[in-house]
Structure formats: C-alpha cells, structure tokens
Amino acid sequence: MATKKQILFPVGILVLGVGIAASFSAMKKPPEKKEEKEILPLVQVQPASVESITLDVSSYGLITPKNQTKLVAQLSGQLVEVSEAFVKGGFVKKGDVLARIDPNDYEAALIDAQATLAQARSALEVERAQGHVAKSEWERIRKNSNEFIPSELYLRKPQLAEKLARFKASEASLKRAKRNLERTYISAPYDAIIAQRTVSLGSVVSPGSNIGELNSISLAEVRLPVADKDMQYLIKGGINASVVLTTQYAGKDYDWQATIVRSEGVINQKSRMSYLVAQVQDPYAQNSDFPPLRFGAYVNAKIQGLEIKNTTTVARHLVKNNKIAVLSLDNTLTYQTVDILREFDDQIVLSNGLSHGDKVIMTALDYPSEGMKLTTEYAKPEASDQEKDETQLAMKKD
C-alpha cells in the first residue's frame, strides 16, 4: 500500500504548476485596442479655371495663285527671240518680253497700211475740194435754174462719202497693222513665276498655239473647307477674319498671315463642306528674309472666331451626360450639370456649370455615388511590431 507521503507529493507538484501558470497568465498584458480608421477613396483634383477664349476654327488647304494665265500666240510666225528668264520656275516682271515672233512680214504690212492711208487721205482732200467747187458753181447758176434744190450727185456728196469711208478703212488697217506688230512681242501681263514653257527658239507658232503658263506672285489663295457646325463660331460667316497659315519649309514650321476675302457660297456635294477663300499678299516675298509660301504647299489654317467670356475647358472624358464630378467643400462627391459650348479633339468647352476654383475630380472612381466621402492625400501606413522592435534596437545600439 502507498504511503501518505507518496500520495501528497504529486498533488503538491500539480498545485504548484497550476499556481505558476496562473501567475504568468496574470502578468501578460491584454492586447491594445486599435482605433478603427475609415479608408476613403483617393482622388486627384484640379481647380477649374474660368476665362475668355477665342473659338478658332481649324482647316487646311493648298496654296494656289489667284491669277493663272496661259500664253497663246495671236499671230503666226517663227520665234526669233526667247528670254533667258522664260524657263520653268523663273521670275519675271510685268512687261518683260518673254519671246518674239519674226516681225518682218508685220513690218511690211504696217508700211503698206501707211501708204494706203496716205492715198486715201489725198483722195479725200481732192474730193472735198471738188465738192466746194461744185457748190460754188451751183451758187453762181442757181438764179437762172428752175430747180431751187441741187441734187446730191451734183454737189458730189456721194463721192465724198465714198472717199471718207475709204479713208476710215485705211485708218483701221493701219491700226491693225500696228497692233499686229506689237503682238510679235510676247510679254508678261503681271509679275509672275513661270509655271510652264512649251516652245523654244526657232519654233513656228500659229494663232492659238500654246506658248507657256504664268502664275501671278502678287496674291496667293487657299480654299479652306469648314464644316457647317463650325460656321456658328465665325463672325459674319468668316468674311474678313484673320487666318494663320502654317506650313513647312526646309523642315521647319513657318506661319503666314492671311485674310478671308470671300465664301464660295455653296456646299460641296462630295465633302458636304462650305469653302472659304483666304488670300495672302506677296507669297514669294523675294525682298524678305522670310521663306516663300510656295504654290502647291499644303497648309494648316486657324481661322479666328468668336471671343466667348466665362468659359472652362476640360478633358472630354470628364463630362458624361452633361455632368461633371466635383469635390465639394466637405470633401464629398457631387455632380454638377454643365452646358457644353463646343467639342474639339479631346477637349470640351463649357459655358456654364463651373465656377472659378471648383475642384474637378480627375480620377476615375470604381463605384461613384453622390455624397460619398473622398480624400486627396495619401495616408501613411503604421509600422508593424517587428519594424518597431527593429527600430528601437537600432536606436539602443547607436
């Protein structure tokens, strides 16, 4: 049989272990209760800017000369003279002689016309003298004549009219001969650049033969297509509006000033566009350091439009169903109704709905709702217990 000591010893050890466990349990600190924090959606905002803008209208086109002339021969003959400036791309001044037709036959025709006119003038003077003699004779014998009115044939009026008609015809022939002799010179009708030459020295031409083509360099034009919806942004349909034409020369962009001078007044059947015509003064500007605006160049145009006050320009994706998301003063989401004035590229011009300084929300929200709270700052995450212990250990070592 077990003794009393053998029974009590295990029981004592068990009681002692339970007591030690209870004391350690009492020494353990309860976990600290952390304050629950609300996680708010983070958004980026941009203050709205209300300002005045000009609603320019963009377009494009090709530069063409206002005046373009095809030179044709008015006489027949051989070209005996061709100017060195009469080459494709050459510049000529008004009145410069480009070529000349052999004038010999036309000089001879002029001499013949002058001789014919001299003969007609002489015959007219003789006939006038004979008419005066006939009239004087009639005055002398009319007292003994039974006829009170002499006949026109007696007074030589028909003969005088015939001589006068021949004289006028001779004058016309002389004038024609002079004009034909002048036409042997083929001259530039204005300051121009040679676009084409189809003859050379020794070529034989006839009336109507094509000699070349000239482009006037005093004025250039460009047809600018404008959509019908954009016409509302132009003053008086764009007439007299300023235009900035942008084109490249030697790899660099240059701007030219132009003015809308007219509208073609119809809608193109293919493009359904209205066309405005802009003019540029002195496009080749030979006396300037500025590069020429060459015919055939492609240009981008910006037509000056209406000036509108109190407008705001925002990105297109921020406006949906005429509403835009704004951060209110209490940092909640609110939607404001706006009026769209114009849309272009990826921008929208608003005429009403935003005030200066309104915080426009630029961030797309997953589940937006009116009145939801938002934040515009990043919350710094708290350090973990391990990171805190490592930090304290490092400080002790230091």
Side-chain angles (χ1 to χ4, degrees):
M1 291 181 64
T3 63
K4 189 175 182 179
K5 180 186 276 187
Q6 290 175 336
I7 296 173
L8 294 175
F9 184 74
V11 173
I13 293 175
L14 179 61
V15 172
L16 181 61
V18 171
I20 295 173
S23 62
F24 277 122
S25 177
M27 293 174 62
K28 185 178 180 180
K29 293 182 179 179
E32 297 181 0
K33 293 184 178 180
K34 295 183 179 180
E35 182 181 355
E36 294 183 0
K37 293 186 178 180
E38 185 180 6
I39 300 177
L40 302 178
L42 179 66
V43 295
Q44 183 181 7
V45 297
Q46 181 176 340
S49 178
V50 178
E51 56 189 359
S52 299
I53 65 170
T54 300
L55 298 179
D56 295 333
V57 176
S58 297
S59 188
Y60 55 88
L62 294 176
I63 300 297
T64 59
K66 180 184 179 181
N67 296 313
Q68 191 172 27
T69 302
K70 287 187 176 181
L71 296 176
V72 296
Q74 294 178 287
L75 305 172
S76 60
Q78 186 180 35
L79 294 181
V80 295
E81 197 177 312
V82 175
S83 172
E84 293 183 357
F86 191 26
V87 291
K88 188 173 183 179
F91 290 92
V92 293
K93 296 290 186 180
K94 180 180 179 180
D96 286 353
V97 176
L98 306 180
R100 193 182 187 193
I101 299 173
D102 187 358
N104 289 329
D105 292 341
Y106 302 99
E107 290 174 347
L110 176 61
I111 295 173
D112 184 62
Q114 291 172 338
T116 301
L117 178 62
Q119 292 176 352
R121 182 181 288 111
S122 176
L124 178 62
E125 293 299 325
V126 171
E127 189 58 45
R128 282 175 176 169
Q130 290 180 349
H132 285 301
V133 172
K135 186 176 181 180
S136 299
E137 183 67 18
W138 167 251
E139 292 292 339
R140 186 179 63 82
I141 66 174
R142 71 175 181 172
K143 296 180 180 180
N144 299 326
S145 175
N146 294 327
E147 296 182 6
F148 295 98
I149 300 176
S151 65
E152 291 187 351
L153 184 61
Y154 183 85
L155 296 178
R156 302 188 66 84
K157 289 184 178 181
Q159 295 88 331
L160 180 61
E162 178 186 5
K163 297 298 188 296
L164 182 60
R166 290 183 178 180
F167 175 76
K168 291 183 177 180
S170 299
E171 279 187 327
S173 297
L174 178 61
K175 185 176 181 180
R176 188 180 303 111
K178 288 181 178 179
R179 185 184 59 195
N180 287 341
L181 185 59
E182 292 174 355
R183 285 176 176 174
T184 59
Y185 293 96
I186 300 171
S187 305
Y190 41 67
D191 294 352
I193 181 174
I194 308 299
Q196 186 180 13
R197 193 187 87 176
T198 58
V199 295
S200 59
L201 186 65
S203 298
V204 177
V205 297
S206 59
S209 296
N210 186 22
I211 294 177
E213 189 172 331
L214 305 181
N215 292 333
S216 172
I217 58 174
S218 60
L219 281 176
E221 290 189 341
V222 55
R223 297 173 70 237
L224 302 175
V226 177
D228 188 66
K229 66 177 182 179
D230 290 335
M231 294 296 292
Q232 60 182 311
Y233 307 126
L234 299 178
I235 304 173
K236 296 181 180 180
I239 304 301
N240 296 324
S242 297
V243 184
V244 177
L245 303 177
T246 303
T247 185
Q248 282 197 343
Y249 185 90
K252 296 182 179 179
D253 289 337
Y254 291 91
D255 292 338
W256 283 82
Q257 297 297 322
T259 304
I260 301 293
V261 294
R262 67 180 184 276
S263 169
E264 293 188 352
V266 296
I267 296 178
N268 187 275
Q269 294 298 316
K270 293 182 179 180
S271 63
R272 306 307 302 168
M273 294 279 195
S274 299
Y275 280 84
L276 302 178
V277 179
Q279 284 187 355
V280 183
Q281 298 284 341
D282 194 14
Y284 277 80
Q286 298 181 67
N287 297 326
S288 172
D289 295 332
F290 206 71
L293 181 60
R294 297 165 294 182
F295 296 139
Y298 179 87
V299 295
N300 291 310
K302 184 177 289 186
I303 307 172
Q304 184 180 15
L306 294 169
E307 183 179 358
I308 307 297
K309 297 181 179 180
N310 301 324
T311 64
T312 305
T313 303
V314 297
R316 181 190 295 271
H317 69 273
L318 297 180
V319 181
K320 295 181 179 180
N321 299 324
N322 285 49
K323 291 186 176 182
I324 188 169
V326 176
L327 187 66
S328 61
L329 295 177
D330 58 354
N331 287 343
T332 58
L333 171 64
T334 182
Y335 287 99
Q336 293 186 198
T337 302
V338 295
D339 295 332
I340 297 177
L341 178 63
R342 185 185 182 189
E343 299 182 25
F344 62 97
D345 297 333
D346 58 346
Q347 301 290 316
I348 291 182
V349 179
L350 307 178
S351 61
N352 191 21
L354 288 179
S355 300
H356 189 77
D358 282 350
K359 297 179 179 179
V360 179
I361 298 175
M362 310 297 290
T363 305
L365 298 171
D366 293 334
Y367 303 102
S369 61
E370 183 85 18
M372 67 182 297
K373 291 185 177 181
L374 304 172
T375 181
T376 58
E377 295 181 356
Y378 284 99
K380 295 182 179 180
E382 292 186 0
S384 63
D385 294 338
Q386 182 179 357
E387 291 174 344
K388 290 181 179 178
D389 293 340
E390 292 176 354
T391 303
Q392 292 176 357
L393 182 60
M395 294 176 63
K396 289 180 179 180
K397 290 182 178 180
D398 293 340

